[in-house]
Amino acid sequence: MADQAKVAAAQRIEDARYWAAPRLESAAQGFEAQVAPMVSSMLSAAARRIDPTPPPSRRGWPMLMLLTGVAVGAIGYLFYRRNAQQWTEHMKDSASDASRWVGEKADRTAESANRMATNASNSAEDTSRKMS
């Protein structure tokens, strides 16, 4: 009879284990999904409240960004001014070259006109001498 009781008890324990295992797994997953995050956030908040070191300051970043922007703007302005001066000097040189070219062209045209006038005058004098 004791052996039968032992076998029956073992069978009931095994049945109880088959019944309890999925329920324990489900309970563990529910605890992990619902209770654990709340406990974790409560512990993190408590740690932040009792931490003696002050939180890191973010006041330096905006000032650093502002100074970087000002430096980049100043460099850009200097490049702009340098290029504007070079362009102005180039245009002065170009204008000087153009005015010199126009002056030379005008001189050549005047010389050509004088030669033509002289030739026409000489031609008219020759014609007038022949007719007289």
Side-chain angles (χ1 to χ4, degrees):
M1 198 172 206
D3 287 335
Q4 287 178 350
K6 183 179 173 185
V7 170
Q11 184 65 34
R12 287 191 178 188
I13 290 175
E14 191 174 336
D15 289 343
R17 288 176 64 191
Y18 280 117
W19 177 85
R23 284 165 181 73
L24 287 174
E25 182 67 29
S26 175
Q29 289 175 356
F31 184 84
E32 187 178 332
Q34 295 174 358
V35 178
M38 291 187 290
V39 171
S40 175
S41 67
M42 286 177 14
L43 290 173
S44 295
R48 278 192 303 272
R49 278 186 294 216
I50 63 170
D51 189 13
T53 59
S57 174
R58 293 186 182 188
R59 291 176 46 190
W61 282 105
M63 185 59 72
L64 179 64
M65 295 302 290
L66 176 66
L67 293 176
T68 303
V70 168
V72 168
I75 291 170
Y77 178 74
L78 291 175
F79 280 129
Y80 167 77
R81 293 294 293 164
R82 187 189 63 169
N83 287 340
Q85 284 178 335
Q86 288 176 350
W87 183 79
T88 303
E89 290 171 6
H90 177 72
M91 293 308 288
K92 284 179 185 176
D93 293 342
S94 296
S96 164
D97 292 344
S99 65
R100 188 176 335 117
W101 179 80
V102 168
E104 291 172 359
K105 189 76 168 170
D107 290 343
R108 281 187 295 223
T109 304
E111 288 173 11
S112 176
N114 284 339
R115 274 194 309 257
M116 292 174 124
T118 303
N119 288 341
S121 174
N122 290 340
S123 206
E125 286 179 11
D126 288 342
T127 304
S128 134
R129 274 190 225 138
K130 287 182 186 177
M131 293 182 104
S132 21

